[in-house]
């Protein structure tokens, strides 16, 4: 496996080669002089940094539940990700909920989980399922749900070119797979309809 420095150097070279391939060599066009380094940093440090995180570590610790614990929901979280088909970003809002097992974690950990699963080359459908599955597997939640509402730039700036079109996906794990009442409680709490 390449070191972080090796990855950064390789990716910088890729962006240099890309600029040369489109006749915008950094040596010829001064406005592109820093572009390879800046682009490599953006991809590694912002768009794909989710590969550096582990959902298990994000959801570790926490506090024991006391008695009967109700549904926990964090809604309206802005996020961004990158579609693996065209390497174009998508962004939107995540709504995540879970029924606790024997422990809960701080709400900011749910936001970190969204970024961990989203800051990768991942389809929206797979991202939502990864979030729900992680809550059940690593937090021990009895059930989990994730709704992602996005604008996919591959539908906006290429192909069908439909600005404003929204892609909404729902993912469920654990008890949410079979419990219609839990799903309805979640969807009502985030003001959505199934």
């Amino acid at each position: 496996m390449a070191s972080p420095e090796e990855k950064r150097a390789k990716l910088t070279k890729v962006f240099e080669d890309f600029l040369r391939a489109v006749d915008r060599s950094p040596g010829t066009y001064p406005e592109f002089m820093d572009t390879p380094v800046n682009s490599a940093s953006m991809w590694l440090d912002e768009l794909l940094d989710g590969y550096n995180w582990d959902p298990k570590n994000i959801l570790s610790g926490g506090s024991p539940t006391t008695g009967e614990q109700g549904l926990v929901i964090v809604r309206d979280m802005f996020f961004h990700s990158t579609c693996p088909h065209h390497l174009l970003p998508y962004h939107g809002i995540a709504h995540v909920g879970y029924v606790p097992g024997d422990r809960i974690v701080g709400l900011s950990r749910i936001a970190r989980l969204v970024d961990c699963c989203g800051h990768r080359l991942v389809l929206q459908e797979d991202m939502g399922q990864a979030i729900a599955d992680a809550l059940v597997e690593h937090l021990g939640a009895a059930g989990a749900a994730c709704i992602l509402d996005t604008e996919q730039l591959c539908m906006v700036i290429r192909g069908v070119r439909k600005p404003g079109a929204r892609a909404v996906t729902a993912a469920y794990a654990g008890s949410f797979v079979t419990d219609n009442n839990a799903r309805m409680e979640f969807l009502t709490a985030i003001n959505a309809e199934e």
Side-chain angles (χ1 to χ4, degrees):
M1 183 189 291
S3 72
E5 296 78 19
E6 291 169 327
K7 286 181 185 177
R8 194 168 302 276
K10 285 180 184 179
L11 196 52
T12 298
K13 172 86 168 75
V14 166
F15 283 111
E16 288 172 357
D17 291 345
F18 169 79
L19 289 172
R20 286 188 189 94
V22 295
D23 295 325
R24 292 297 173 258
S25 173
T28 306
Y29 296 90
E31 64 269 28
F32 295 109
M33 189 62 67
D34 296 328
T35 301
V37 170
N38 292 343
S39 295
S41 293
M42 178 192 65
W43 277 93
L44 292 173
D45 301 336
E46 297 173 44
L47 297 179
L48 300 180
D49 60 326
Y51 290 114
N52 299 327
W53 304 338
D54 182 352
K56 182 178 181 179
N57 291 339
I58 291 170
L59 297 173
S60 67
S63 305
T65 55
T66 55
E68 193 66 29
Q69 191 74 38
L71 185 61
V72 176
I73 297 174
V74 182
R75 56 174 276 178
D76 297 323
M77 291 179 282
F78 176 83
F79 76 94
H80 64 81
S81 191
T82 305
C83 176
H85 292 157
H86 299 98
L87 299 182
L88 287 173
Y90 58 94
H91 62 92
I93 300 297
H95 310 289
V96 178
Y98 71 97
V99 176
D102 58 2
R103 67 187 170 89
I104 56 174
V105 290
L107 300 177
S108 65
R109 299 227 188 168
I110 305 304
R112 285 188 186 105
L113 178 64
V114 169
D115 286 344
C116 170
C117 294
H119 292 190
R120 300 171 183 223
L121 300 173
V122 62
L123 295 173
Q124 176 177 336
E125 299 89 337
D126 294 338
M127 177 188 165
Q129 195 62 57
I131 291 166
D133 288 344
L135 288 164
V136 171
E137 181 180 349
H138 302 301
L139 183 59
C146 179
I147 304 284
L148 302 177
D149 180 346
T150 70
E151 180 180 51
Q152 300 270 342
L153 290 188
C154 60
M155 285 186 60
V156 172
I157 62 174
R158 60 157 305 280
V160 296
R161 294 193 173 132
K162 298 295 182 203
R166 306 296 297 181
V168 179
T169 56
Y172 302 107
S175 63
F176 274 87
V177 173
T178 57
D179 187 343
N180 289 334
N181 290 333
R183 280 201 309 273
M184 288 310 298
E185 181 182 357
F186 173 71
L187 293 170
T188 299
I190 65 166
N191 295 320
E193 297 176 11
E194 186 168 51

